Amino acid sequence: MTVFVKDGGSFREISELFVRDGTSYTNKTITNAYVYHSGSWREIYTLFTATSYVILSPGTTTITVPSLANAIHIEYAVAGGGGGNRGQDYDQQGNEQGGPGGGSGAYVSDLVFSVTGGETLTAVVGAAGAAGSNSYTGGGPARGGTTSLSGTSSNAIFSLTGGESGTVTGGGVQGPLATLTGGAAGTASITASRLTTGTTTGGLNITSFTSGPLSAFNQAGNGAAGADGINYPGDNSNGVGADGADSYNGNVAGGAGGDAGNGGGYESGQIGKTGERGSGGGGGGTEQGAPGGPGGPGEMKYRFIRIS
């Protein structure tokens, strides 16, 4: 900021500015300055204006903290959702199987952390877990990727693991009997201290930050487990796959299980539906061994602020 004063009929630029605190003049950080004009106060200067929000997709991003920022507001972040799996078709017990759903990733919603101006942050956003489609082996699906944030000065800030994939063991005409297990939930680890009080240089109380998926300040938690697969008695039985787990504490739906097949193969819409925003993928429907759906990709949305 450049400040001028009028001295002897001309304006001169000043190199230092002091404020009177009590009985003495001291160096103070001036966060806002106002002038009284036409009966009201008008702001003429603010030390730092909150940056625009940035949304990150899966991958690794290096971020430089603005020199005058001292905090980061994470509106939301979630790890990748786990992939749904397919059932194992007709098994030794005489069942057709709807595949299990994937688990959802751990999340944060409207958290604020201290950072140091000029430091480098590394944001990693987890990828979606792949869907499973391998017959009789249970292979193919994958857990969602981890979403994390760390800094060169702030060190580890948080780490959110992805939801696990739905698993299928056993099955097939030769046995043993199939076990269809929904994917496990991702877990949240918040390492840095969360800021719970403070006012930005723009005059916002940070407890008013409620624009994230949970519509509440300072929220974080584990994901949820995907639903177990379903055994339908009898050869050629038709049934849906299990649903993938919801993410953000139930605020974003998981992928629905694939539709019943009616013997029509993939064209009958048996494939499990894809998860969204860190939720789990749905399991495949019965008949023709339809694949599960992939999990939802991870994400992160942030902005930098200065708290006075």
Side-chain angles (χ1 to χ4, degrees):
M1 178 183 72
T2 303
V3 178
F4 296 85
V5 295
K6 194 168 185 178
D7 180 21
S10 61
F11 283 96
R12 297 186 180 185
E13 183 179 350
I14 63 175
S15 60
E16 293 180 286
L17 182 65
F18 297 87
V19 294
R20 187 178 179 90
D21 181 19
T23 59
S24 63
Y25 286 95
T26 58
N27 288 315
K28 292 285 185 180
T29 299
I30 301 174
T31 58
N32 303 77
Y34 297 81
V35 295
Y36 195 70
H37 179 258
S38 300
S40 62
W41 288 98
R42 297 188 180 185
E43 186 178 43
I44 60 170
Y45 161 76
T46 184
L47 180 64
F48 183 81
T49 300
T51 64
S52 299
Y53 284 107
V54 176
I55 299 175
L56 301 179
S57 299
T60 300
T61 303
T62 300
I63 306 162
T64 300
V65 179
S67 59
L68 294 178
N70 63 10
I72 185 170
H73 169 209
I74 307 296
E75 183 176 294
Y76 57 72
V78 70
N85 210 340
R86 65 173 283 174
Q88 297 295 64
D89 307 330
Y90 187 71
D91 71 7
Q92 187 185 56
Q93 189 168 309
N95 296 323
E96 297 282 2
Q97 295 127 25
S104 60
Y107 68 90
V108 301
S109 181
D110 284 311
L111 264 60
V112 178
F113 300 96
S114 294
V115 292
T116 301
E119 76 167 306
T120 299
L121 303 181
T122 300
V124 179
V125 177
S133 60
N134 291 359
S135 180
Y136 301 116
T137 65
R143 74 173 301 158
T146 294
T147 292
S148 64
L149 184 66
S150 59
T152 51
S153 298
S154 303
N155 301 314
I157 298 175
F158 63 79
S159 180
L160 313 170
T161 64
E164 296 277 4
S165 62
T167 58
V168 179
T169 56
V173 175
Q174 302 303 316
L177 303 180
T179 301
L180 314 165
T181 306
T187 56
S189 176
I190 313 299
T191 307
S193 296
R194 312 181 200 184
L195 298 181
T196 57
T197 60
T199 302
T200 71
T201 51
L204 296 176
N205 190 313
I206 65 172
T207 61
S208 70
F209 297 166
T210 58
S211 52
L214 273 70
S215 300
F217 176 64
N218 195 27
Q219 304 296 306
N222 298 333
D228 292 341
I230 305 164
N231 282 298
Y232 295 96
D235 191 11
N236 298 319
S237 294
N238 295 311
V240 299
D243 292 342
D246 297 345
S247 62
Y248 288 113
N249 197 33
N251 285 276
V252 175
D259 296 334
N262 298 316
Y266 298 165
E267 293 76 16
S268 297
Q270 297 177 341
I271 299 173
K273 304 304 186 292
T274 302
E276 296 182 349
R277 303 184 67 184
S279 68
T286 63
E287 281 296 306
Q288 303 294 325
E299 60 183 9
M300 186 184 302
K301 183 177 181 181
Y302 71 90
R303 63 175 173 172
F304 291 106
I305 59 178
R306 183 177 180 88
I307 297 175
S308 58

